[in-house]
Amino acid sequence: MTATAPTDFVIPATMKAWVLDDPGQLRLTEKPVPQPGHSEVLVRIDAIAFCAGDISIITKGPPALIEGGKPFNKNFTPGHEYMGTVVKLGAGVDEFSPGDRVVVEVHYGCGRCERCRAGMYTACLNYGMNYKGHDKGHRANGFTTDGGFCEYAVNHVSTLVHVPEGVGDEEATLIVTAGTAMYALDTLNGLVAGESVVVLGPGAIGLMVVAVAKALGAQPVILTGTRDARLALGKRMGADHVVNIRNEDPLEAVKRITGGKGVNYVVEASGDPNSLDLATDMLKRGGKVCLIGFPEHKASVDLAKLIRQHISVFGIRGEGRSATHRVAALVEQKRFDPKLIHTHTFPLEEVPTAFRYARDRIEDAIKVVVKMKQD
């Protein structure tokens, strides 16, 4: 695809961009097209998916941090799960060429703090420090700097992943979602084939955890939730067993499926503040839990049980350890099909409608994609 792509692009001086005013208020405006600096490229954004993080930012502000505070009325453009075409190279870039199709990781760490130096750039200690007087080099598209609900964006080469041949624009945006799933499994232990995992919550991330875990050889993969349609989709994405917790106690179901042994890992993707206690009961001794879902309320946890059972608990954010690169390889090998969770597509002019579909789950929306040019 890239071999026949054009290499000379006409780049306008300004672009269409959505900005966030008051909470929940998105406005279409014009912004200057940014210019790539050293080790950066200019990406023409071709498609972007809505994420639960975008919904939180647009409605409440956190976890966005713009100029040291909430993102409202600062001419800030949200959105982070995007892909596009490289149209201009900054100085020192030879890893990519104009015309390359790329998917973009969210986080570019400062590179100078102890977390970044250890490879934990999604936990950069200088998060949000990228504005005048406080610029330590950190960037997180759609969180601490302008994101992708616009026509062009600048990205550091370390955040770019080539889109595999034959993968469409909408599907490519979902590689970022799957990158978070991969990072969760990396954090747990890297997941050895034949090990068992429970996924709590069949949202977009939870479904991707199912798909990636199965692609890596997990067995059995058990998915729990409350919506039969989502659970059925989970089966299509690789779950060996699904449990509707309205009909069966999830702990009893896991005991039944595993012959009372429990599982090696649990990935909590529902955001239920009570689910950590449930997860620890599902585990074998020495098992591990990874928390992805953001609870709305504080959780109460039986710490003594964690100690007695030698349980390890991890929290992760984003798609660290270059997880997106590995997911792209799985997609290229057709180990799973991200397209299954793509439900709706809207043009750039209809971002507020796309936001509403994603927020309110209209028509059981899972992944809502904004595509700049319609087929």
Side-chain angles (χ1 to χ4, degrees):
M1 209 166 193
T2 55
T4 59
T7 57
D8 294 321
F9 293 89
V10 177
I11 302 170
T14 62
M15 64 178 180
K16 295 177 182 177
W18 287 91
V19 297
L20 181 60
D21 291 333
D22 290 336
Q25 299 299 310
L26 291 162
R27 173 172 52 89
L28 187 61
T29 186
E30 291 276 328
K31 281 188 174 182
V33 172
Q35 296 301 309
H38 192 279
S39 302
E40 295 178 336
V41 305
L42 179 66
V43 176
R44 184 195 69 202
I45 298 173
D46 296 328
I48 178 171
F50 260 101
C51 172
D54 299 323
I55 295 169
S56 177
I57 288 167
I58 292 169
T59 55
K60 295 181 292 187
L65 189 65
I66 304 298
E67 297 174 3
K70 290 187 176 182
F72 306 118
N73 298 298
K74 293 180 178 177
N75 203 39
F76 162 69
T77 296
H80 61 275
E81 292 188 347
Y82 61 87
M83 60 78 58
T85 303
V86 174
V87 294
K88 188 175 182 179
L89 307 180
V93 176
D94 58 11
E95 298 91 337
F96 296 88
S97 301
D100 285 356
R101 296 174 68 238
V102 295
V103 63
V104 182
E105 284 193 345
V106 177
H107 295 269
Y108 173 62
C110 70
R112 59 203 282 179
C113 74
E114 61 185 281
R115 294 291 179 264
C116 285
R117 289 172 60 82
M120 297 177 64
Y121 50 86
T122 65
C124 175
L125 299 180
N126 288 314
Y127 182 84
M129 293 293 185
N130 58 353
Y131 57 98
K132 187 176 180 180
H134 298 82
D135 191 355
K136 291 194 172 183
H138 172 272
R139 291 176 61 89
N141 309 316
F143 287 90
T144 68
T145 189
D146 273 353
F149 287 119
C150 57
E151 294 182 298
Y152 293 89
V154 163
N155 284 91
H156 193 275
V157 290
S158 67
T159 67
L160 304 180
V161 181
H162 284 104
V163 175
E165 289 287 338
V167 173
D169 291 351
E170 295 96 326
E171 183 181 359
T173 67
L174 306 178
I175 291 174
V176 184
T177 312
T180 299
M182 177 67 85
Y183 188 29
L185 297 171
D186 278 354
T187 301
L188 285 173
N189 202 35
L191 191 75
V192 177
E195 293 183 321
S196 49
V197 59
V198 171
V199 181
L200 304 179
I205 293 289
L207 290 168
M208 281 301 192
V209 174
V210 166
V212 175
K214 199 61 189 176
L216 295 174
Q219 188 174 343
V221 176
I222 305 167
L223 174 65
T224 74
T226 60
R227 288 168 285 172
D228 284 331
R230 292 288 183 94
L231 294 172
L233 181 55
K235 288 281 284 187
R236 293 176 64 195
M237 298 194 75
D240 298 295
H241 305 273
V242 296
V243 179
N244 189 320
I245 63 175
R246 296 188 189 278
N247 304 329
E248 184 176 9
D249 179 87
L251 178 57
E252 292 304 314
V254 169
K255 288 182 177 180
R256 169 178 56 79
I257 293 166
T258 63
K261 296 177 182 178
V263 295
N264 298 96
Y265 308 115
V266 176
V267 178
E268 203 306 295
S270 72
D272 182 347
N274 299 313
S275 61
L276 180 53
D277 263 341
L278 173 64
T280 57
D281 286 335
M282 291 177 170
L283 289 166
K284 301 174 181 178
R285 287 181 179 170
K288 299 179 181 181
V289 182
C290 187
L291 307 175
I292 301 179
F294 283 88
E296 293 287 332
H297 307 288
K298 291 183 178 180
S300 178
V301 180
D302 184 349
L303 295 178
K305 180 173 61 177
L306 296 181
I307 297 167
R308 284 195 306 269
Q309 296 294 94
H310 206 300
I311 300 300
S312 301
V313 180
F314 301 87
I316 64 112
R317 181 180 184 181
E319 62 302 324
R321 294 183 188 165
S322 300
T324 306
H325 289 266
R326 295 192 295 286
V327 166
L330 292 179
V331 171
E332 186 172 17
Q333 296 166 34
K334 302 189 185 307
R335 301 292 295 276
F336 71 96
D337 186 1
K339 295 193 298 292
L340 291 174
I341 69 168
H342 168 228
T343 55
H344 297 79
T345 301
F346 293 91
L348 180 62
E349 290 73 18
E350 296 182 24
V351 163
T353 302
F355 164 66
R356 187 166 53 86
Y357 266 67
R359 180 194 61 194
D360 300 337
R361 297 175 179 170
I362 296 172
E363 299 173 358
D364 198 26
I366 304 177
K367 268 300 181 180
V368 178
V369 174
V370 172
K371 193 169 182 181
M372 306 314 168
K373 295 187 183 300
Q374 302 301 296
D375 294 330

